[in-house]
């Protein structure tokens, strides 16, 4: 794994220091500076960790320049086109795709674990009407930790997997309950006869005791095409290596806290508009723009250095050519246009923004392309999912990634408490 060394010279003293260069299986080499402070008495400065690898990982690989994303070595395109979200969960947790029997076993377990302890129901009542489901979701997942103290001390693979399956299974129920509480309507309990994704859509849309759905096109059953679209969205969100929320999850893991509390912290971190909250902001922004003829004026606002306005759903810290997840969703969006009735004014505004931004020097020179959130909002709107649930849907997909990273952190004997240094400039 060690490739070579690098020598750094302090130009003030002329002293030199040698550091190992580590080579992973793919991606840029890494300078091992773990002894840097002890050697030099200095810290390194890297706000936003733009040049810092915080851990060693075998879960997800991204080549931002090439627009490549792989979970456990499997290309995201293959997973999105040929495998279900549950298969993807199995892959992330176990390192290989499941056999038929393994998938059936996981599917059954996930269906059975979807119920919440009844004691949790009263927690939802403590939240005001119109509470954002992300606030309720984060609090309910923290509360969930108190029902499973045994997950504080896990010793073997079986215990880790049980803990992971439990949270993956319960998150959709909590998200649906949080949403229904925000509307003041009764909860729909999970249905053991339904698949993971169909169950979530049903808990969101069904009336109690019946099969009529809260949908402005009349009382329709959930269509298979809707299930497939949402399942793909979950798969595309399942992991994304050391992003902001995953870094938070690992940071909380480093203190020895309960894994579900780490997940709750990840949920809070994801809520922000610069991260998972962008999908909600994309649609809010399209609604605010309101009509195709106003798009150019908003593009000018986004380009103005004195204006804080940013085009939501554009740009990415890692992808600098294209976001492969966005490409898959753009294709899916085009396929679903007819079946789901996507051709609305919002779609037309989105298409105009995409068209102008992709040919504008400002966006080209800064490598600003539509990211995954630009397309999820449009598809989720067509699935009758309200804006406030876009980020909770991201949470449902990402929970497997967070928990897999949490487990990897725990098993890594070199893991330490996250404790960065600072460049002090105060009094
Ligand atoms: N609209 C207009 N200008 C932008 C945008 C945007 N969406 N994003 C970046 N820029 C500009 C910045 O103003 C800056 O310009 P300058 O060099 O003239 O100062 C330049 O591009 C670089 O921007 P940074 O903020 O330094 O880029 P960074 O990599 O730190 O940020 C981020 C990435 C946070 C995603 C940013 O592009 C952004 O705010 N996008 C909008 C929010 C969004 O869509 N977030 C979802 C990300 S994907 C995800 O989390 C699933």
């Amino acid at each position: 794994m060690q490739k070579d060394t690098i020598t750094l010279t302090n130009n003030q003293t002329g002293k030199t220091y040698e550091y190992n260069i580590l080579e992973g299986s793919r991606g840029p080499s890494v300078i091992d500076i773990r002894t840097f402070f002890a050697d030099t008495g200095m810290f390194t400065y890297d706000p936003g960790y733009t040049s810092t690898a915080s851990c060693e990982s075998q879960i997800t690989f991204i080549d931002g320049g090439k627009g490549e994303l792989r979970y456990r070595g499997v290309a995201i395109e293959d997973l999105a086109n040929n495998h279900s979200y549950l298969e993807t969960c199995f892959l992330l947790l176990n390192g290989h795709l499941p056999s038929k029997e393994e998938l059936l076993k996981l599917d059954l377990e996930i269906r059975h674990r979807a119920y919440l302890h009844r004691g949790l129901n009263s927690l939802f009542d403590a939240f005001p009407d119109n509470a954002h489901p992300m606030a309720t979701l984060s609090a309910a997942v923290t509360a969930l930790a108190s029902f499973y103290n045994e997950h504080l001390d896990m010793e073997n693979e079986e215990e880790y997997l049980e803990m992971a399956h439990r949270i993956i299974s319960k998150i959709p129920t909590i998200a649906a309950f949080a949403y229904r509480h925000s509307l003041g309507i009764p909860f729909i309990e999970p249905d053991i006869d339904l698949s993971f994704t169909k169950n979530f859509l049903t808990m969101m849309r069904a009336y109690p005791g019946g099969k009529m759905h809260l949908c402005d096109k009349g009382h329709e059953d959930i269509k298979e095409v809707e299930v497939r679209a949402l399942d793909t969205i979950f798969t595309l969100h399942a992991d994304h290596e050391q992003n902001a929320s995953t870094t938070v999850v690992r940071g909380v893991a480093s203190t020895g806290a309960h894994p579900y509390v780490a997940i709750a912290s990840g949920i809070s971190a994801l809520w922000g508009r610069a991260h998972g909250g962008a999908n909600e902001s994309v649609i809010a922004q399209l609604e605010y723009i309101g009509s195709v003829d106003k798009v150019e004026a908003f593009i000018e606002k986004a380009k103005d250095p004195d204006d804080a306005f940013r085009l939501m759903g554009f740009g990415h810290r890692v992808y600098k050519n294209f976001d492969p997840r966005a490409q898959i969703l753009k294709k899916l969006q085009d396929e679903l246009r007819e079946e789901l009735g996507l051709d609305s004014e919002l779609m037309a505004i989105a298409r105009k923004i995409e068209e102008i931004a992709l040919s504008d020097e400002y966006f080209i020179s800064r490598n600003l392309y539509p990211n995954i959130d630009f397309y999820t909002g449009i598809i989720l709107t067509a699935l009758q999912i309200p804006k406030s649930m876009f980020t909770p849907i991201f949470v449902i997909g990402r929970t497997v990634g967070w928990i897999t990273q949490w487990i990897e952190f725990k098993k890594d004997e070199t893991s330490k408490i996250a404790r960065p240094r600072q460049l002090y400039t105060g009094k």
Side-chain angles (χ1 to χ4, degrees):
M1 167 142 164
Q2 187 199 326
K3 189 181 175 189
D4 211 333
T5 58
I6 189 167
T7 304
L8 304 180
T9 306
N10 181 335
N11 292 332
Q12 278 177 331
T13 62
K15 239 180 140 181
T16 60
Y17 305 91
E18 197 169 281
Y19 293 97
N20 290 333
I21 298 177
L22 308 178
E23 195 177 21
S25 44
R26 291 195 59 190
S29 306
V30 167
I31 305 172
D32 182 352
I33 54 156
R34 276 176 287 188
T35 59
F36 191 82
F37 176 56
D39 297 341
T40 67
M42 288 187 274
F43 300 142
T44 57
Y45 182 58
D46 184 20
Y49 312 123
T50 53
S51 297
T52 297
S54 59
C55 62
E56 191 183 318
S57 183
Q58 300 183 348
I59 303 169
T60 292
F61 174 74
I62 300 173
D63 184 329
K66 285 193 194 150
E68 183 182 355
L69 167 62
R70 289 175 184 271
Y71 301 156
R72 302 285 191 185
V74 183
I76 192 67
E77 292 79 4
D78 183 16
L79 291 169
N81 295 327
N82 306 315
H83 298 280
S84 67
Y85 174 68
L86 275 195
E87 286 175 273
T88 304
C89 289
F90 187 98
L91 170 71
L92 283 165
L93 285 166
N94 299 279
H96 61 90
L97 281 162
S99 65
K100 260 192 183 160
E101 292 71 34
E102 285 170 327
L103 182 59
L104 186 65
K105 190 165 171 271
L106 176 68
D107 190 2
L108 281 178
E109 187 181 342
I110 295 287
R111 287 175 196 228
H112 281 82
R113 290 194 187 281
Y115 297 87
L116 300 184
H117 188 289
R118 294 205 67 77
L120 258 181
N121 285 10
S122 44
L123 178 130
F124 293 94
D125 290 338
F127 282 80
D129 295 347
N130 295 328
H132 195 289
M134 283 297 278
T136 324
L137 187 55
S138 173
V141 172
T142 298
L144 196 67
S146 61
F147 290 84
Y148 301 103
N149 280 333
E150 67 268 31
H151 295 332
L152 267 171
D153 291 301
M154 289 171 289
E155 279 164 14
N156 55 47
E157 196 58 23
E158 219 175 295
E159 289 175 351
Y160 279 121
L161 286 177
E162 179 183 313
M163 177 279 293
H165 295 164
R166 182 169 270 143
I167 188 72
I168 290 167
S169 177
K170 292 189 194 307
I171 282 269
T173 313
I174 299 175
F177 283 14
Y179 167 63
R180 295 183 79 100
H181 172 77
S182 75
L183 294 184
I185 57 175
F187 302 154
I188 301 288
E189 293 292 337
D191 182 343
I192 218 150
D193 288 333
L194 299 180
S195 69
F196 179 86
T197 301
K198 190 162 185 174
N199 194 22
F200 171 68
L201 274 176
T202 306
M203 287 189 288
M204 284 282 297
R205 297 197 337 206
Y207 282 121
K211 284 293 171 196
M212 299 186 295
H213 298 111
L214 299 173
C215 140
D216 62 11
K217 288 185 211 150
H219 301 147
E220 297 175 353
D221 270 333
I222 290 161
K223 297 179 192 151
E224 273 319 299
V225 67
E226 296 182 290
V227 177
R228 184 168 63 85
L230 188 56
D231 203 75
T232 305
I233 288 177
F234 289 152
T235 297
L236 297 177
H237 283 112
D239 194 46
H240 214 230
E241 51 120 304
Q242 309 313 316
N243 55 82
S245 55
T246 301
T247 300
V248 166
V249 169
R250 280 185 178 257
V252 177
S254 81
T255 68
H258 192 287
Y260 296 170
V261 172
I263 299 296
S265 309
I267 293 171
S268 303
L270 190 78
W271 193 358
R273 285 199 308 165
H275 194 12
N279 52 17
E280 183 177 343
S281 305
V282 168
I283 294 296
Q285 195 169 80
L286 295 179
E287 286 170 352
Y288 182 69
I289 293 173
S291 62
V292 172
D293 57 303
K294 297 206 186 110
V295 167
E296 294 210 26
F298 280 94
I299 298 267
E300 288 313 310
K301 261 171 89 61
K303 288 159 59 174
D304 182 352
D306 300 322
D307 192 327
F309 179 85
R310 282 190 171 198
L311 270 191
M312 287 294 121
F314 272 77
H316 198 275
R317 170 60 64 78
V318 177
Y319 296 120
K320 296 299 178 194
N321 267 321
F322 64 90
D323 179 341
R325 304 165 302 172
Q327 288 205 330
I328 294 166
L329 284 185
K330 184 174 163 50
K331 201 163 153 257
L332 184 69
Q333 178 187 284
D334 292 341
E335 283 166 19
L336 296 179
R337 186 169 295 162
E338 287 233 324
E339 277 181 280
L340 293 183
L342 289 176
D343 259 321
S344 64
E345 181 69 12
L346 285 192
M347 273 283 285
I349 299 171
R351 269 204 303 274
K352 183 80 179 166
I353 291 179
E354 201 184 348
E355 189 188 298
I356 300 182
L358 289 178
S359 57
D360 188 294
E361 172 55 23
Y362 174 92
F363 293 89
I364 296 171
S365 63
R366 287 168 180 75
N367 298 311
L368 299 171
Y369 300 91
N371 57 46
I372 185 170
D373 292 323
F374 190 72
Y375 298 106
T376 42
I378 305 261
I379 296 176
L380 292 176
T381 302
L383 296 183
Q384 313 287 328
I385 289 175
K387 282 198 297 286
S388 65
M389 283 302 287
F390 291 2
T391 316
I393 279 172
F394 194 152
V395 168
I396 295 173
R398 182 56 57 84
T399 296
V400 65
W402 286 331
I403 212 67
T404 308
Q405 301 268 355
W406 188 94
I407 294 171
E408 187 178 72
F409 180 90
K410 284 289 166 186
K411 289 182 177 171
D412 180 350
E413 284 169 6
T414 65
S415 294
K416 277 177 173 295
I417 187 166
R419 183 30 175 117
R421 306 295 194 153
Q422 64 176 7
L423 172 62
Y424 180 68
T425 54
K427 279 188 192 168

